[in-house]
Amino acid sequence: MSKKLMMCSAALAVALLSGCASVPMESPEKDQELKAFPAPSQDQAGLYIFRDTSLGGALKKTVKVDGKVIGETAPNTYFYRLISPGPHVLATESEFSDNTLDLNAEAGKNYYVRQNIKLGVFVGGANLEQVSEAEGQKGVAETKMAR
């Protein structure tokens, strides 16, 4: 690999790892309310999608539930949505196409999904991973609510 290409690659990596993307944020009151992790009503399920890392700080990544965009994540942010019981497809923008996660929600339960950022060839990618309640609550507690 030529020295010039290596330097360009290094500069791109630094740009992806530094900087800080910003997204619209929810009020501190709403953020604190949802960090109490209230149980949803018996005809709905709660969904927390969080990004608890600063890797790829300059990157914002779109998150969708059943094909509908709910917003873009930035480092150390989360979303909360009430969803209907039953099967859902969660998706996040990645380098070449969306990465998806199937979720079968039960009424009255909260679900926790971590968005992981990974470095890519041209831009960073992302994927989604369902995590335990304990791990999810810890991740959400360390982030702030986006809207």
Side-chain angles (χ1 to χ4, degrees), residues 17-33:
L17 293 172
S18 62
C20 194
S22 65
V23 295
M25 301 303 289
E26 190 57 73
S27 72
E29 296 79 17
K30 184 75 169 172
D31 179 48
Q32 286 306 311
E33 176 188 324

Side-chain angles (χ1 to χ4, degrees), residues 6-123:
M6 286 178 22
M7 290 183 68
C8 286
S9 296
L12 178 61
V14 168
L16 289 174
L17 293 172
S18 62
C20 194
S22 65
V23 295
M25 301 303 289
E26 190 57 73
S27 72
E29 296 79 17
K30 184 75 169 172
D31 179 48
Q32 286 306 311
E33 176 188 324
L34 287 167
K35 286 180 177 173
F37 306 105
S41 66
Q42 287 303 308
D43 62 340
Q44 295 183 305
L47 175 63
Y48 290 86
I49 301 174
F50 64 97
R51 177 175 161 187
D52 61 345
T53 179
S54 58
L55 178 66
L59 300 175
K60 295 190 277 188
K61 291 296 181 183
T62 302
V63 176
K64 301 175 190 171
V65 176
D66 298 326
K68 181 180 178 204
V69 173
I70 62 169
E72 289 182 310
T73 63
N76 301 308
T77 59
Y78 76 94
F79 289 105
Y80 175 80
R81 295 294 186 270
L82 289 171
I83 57 175
S84 61
H88 296 276
V89 177
L90 313 180
T92 188
E93 170 186 17
S94 198
E95 189 169 15
F96 299 110
S97 64
D98 284 354
N99 282 330
T100 61
L101 174 72
D102 293 328
L103 177 75
N104 192 14
E106 292 179 36
K109 288 184 64 175
N110 282 320
Y111 292 86
Y112 303 88
V113 174
R114 173 179 283 126
Q115 181 190 51
N116 295 304
I117 301 298
K118 52 188 180 179
L119 296 180
V121 177
F122 299 107
V123 296

